[in-house]
Amino acid sequence: MLSLKNVSIAFGGVIAVDNLSIEIRSGAITGLIGPNGAGKTTAFNILAGSLKPDAGQVLFQGRDITALAPHQRAALGIARTFQLAHEFSRLTVIENLMVAADLQAGERVFNTVFRRASYRKAEQEIFGRARELLGFLGLEQHALEPAGALSGGQKKLLELGRALMRQPRIVLLDEIGAGINRSLLGRIADMLLKLREDTGITFCLIEHDLDYVSRMCDEVFVMAGGHLLAHGTVAEVRADERVVDAYFGGGKYEDKRAGTSQTPIGEPAP
């Protein structure tokens, strides 16, 4: 569905992504993993359109979209979340969802003045979709609260909800589990698996928690130093000595974001 073909980009002479090629299969949940500084988020930004590569192509269902801006890619069905939630803090939770919907009749002044009936009907449909999504996310009791008052984990759910409001074909999830507890992370995993099963949405995620990646992903791409190091199932890359070396240096990996250690690739979870 979405791929990078021989993509490279440098910042001030430092190569962040070097001749990277990855393919995200339609209907799959694909992981992009690797140590900090591997170039994962840069690759995501190139996929989403917020960065233009110095070389190479971005392809969506075989179409070259390298020159398209983020909003143009969103119109094709490409959505994303961010490591840090970007809510409109003074809008209510349900307003945050409603503003993310696409093709809103109220965006045109002509419709709000001369086509009030169609405008109000469209608003009601968007409101109904937002309420349904709040129920799915477990945020319905917070619908009328300012989004800025939500907890960090709830803001991550809202971030996911805003991506889903556009009814996308693929969602890029940039460390959606960062900074949230494992109980909520498990809920999000259940949601994503159900969405994939019920709607066929394709997901690609960056994540450091390998237990989560093992549960979620059909296949993973491993990056190190801007390069593609390995590709395969989680079991296959766990068994790859190059990955163990590059990712963990053979020992425990200290996840400083959450203050917890992760299990090295190739070792059983404790």
Side-chain angles (χ1 to χ4, degrees):
M1 174 171 280
L2 186 62
S3 61
L4 299 178
K5 185 176 180 181
N6 304 122
V7 162
S8 298
I9 190 171
F11 302 101
V14 177
I15 300 175
V17 173
D18 188 10
N19 197 35
L20 179 66
S21 294
I22 63 174
E23 292 184 352
I24 302 167
R25 294 186 294 111
S26 178
I29 300 180
T30 302
L32 186 59
I33 68 173
N36 290 333
K40 304 181 299 296
T41 294
T42 300
F44 250 40
N45 288 335
I46 293 172
L47 285 168
S50 53
L51 284 176
K52 296 292 188 294
D54 298 328
Q57 295 175 299
V58 184
L59 304 174
F60 181 69
Q61 295 189 315
R63 172 187 172 186
D64 188 343
I65 61 168
T66 312
L68 296 188
H71 70 278
Q72 294 171 311
R73 299 187 195 199
L76 293 176
I78 302 172
R80 73 164 299 176
T81 66
F82 296 85
Q83 290 182 28
L84 299 176
H86 289 70
E87 78 283 354
F88 296 105
S89 59
R90 290 195 285 182
L91 295 182
T92 65
V93 171
I94 196 165
E95 286 170 342
N96 265 265
L97 290 182
M98 293 179 68
V99 77
D102 59 341
L103 302 177
Q104 300 196 43
E107 291 179 349
R108 297 186 177 183
V109 175
F110 181 87
N111 290 337
T112 62
V113 176
F114 298 105
R115 294 178 177 171
R116 292 187 179 183
S118 63
Y119 156 64
R120 287 172 179 164
K121 181 181 178 182
E123 282 289 291
Q124 289 171 351
E125 290 175 355
I126 292 171
F127 180 75
R129 194 194 317 166
R131 284 186 62 91
E132 182 179 351
L133 197 50
L134 284 176
F136 177 75
L137 297 171
L139 293 175
E140 61 268 55
Q141 69 270 33
H142 303 288
L144 301 181
E145 296 176 9
L150 295 178
S151 69
Q154 290 168 337
K155 288 179 180 180
K156 286 295 185 79
L157 287 173
L158 180 60
E159 184 91 350
L160 174 60
R162 293 200 303 170
L164 295 174
M165 276 296 292
R166 298 192 62 87
Q167 299 177 306
R169 303 172 73 179
I170 180 170
V171 181
L172 308 174
L173 303 168
D174 192 353
E175 295 195 43
I176 195 166
I180 65 175
N181 62 57
R182 297 197 66 83
S183 176
L184 180 54
L185 185 60
R187 278 182 53 206
I188 292 175
D190 290 339
M191 291 175 189
L192 298 181
L193 291 169
K194 182 171 176 55
L195 283 166
R196 195 262 294 268
E197 180 181 349
D198 293 350
T199 67
I201 294 177
T202 300
F203 292 97
C204 181
L205 56 91
I206 293 175
E207 187 52 61
H208 284 283
D209 188 322
L210 288 184
D211 291 334
Y212 179 73
V213 171
S214 296
R215 177 185 176 189
M216 296 293 298
C217 294
D218 302 298
E219 58 185 345
V220 294
F221 292 87
V222 185
M223 291 185 65
H227 297 270
L228 178 64
L229 184 64
H231 165 232
T233 65
V234 175
E236 288 169 344
V237 300
R238 278 181 184 270
D240 192 321
E241 292 184 3
R242 299 170 305 161
V243 176
V244 176
D245 229 25
Y247 208 121
F248 299 124
K252 281 278 188 180
Y253 167 66
E254 191 70 15
D255 186 351
K256 296 177 180 177
R257 298 166 308 155
T260 59
S261 61
Q262 304 290 336
T263 304
I265 292 177
E267 295 184 13

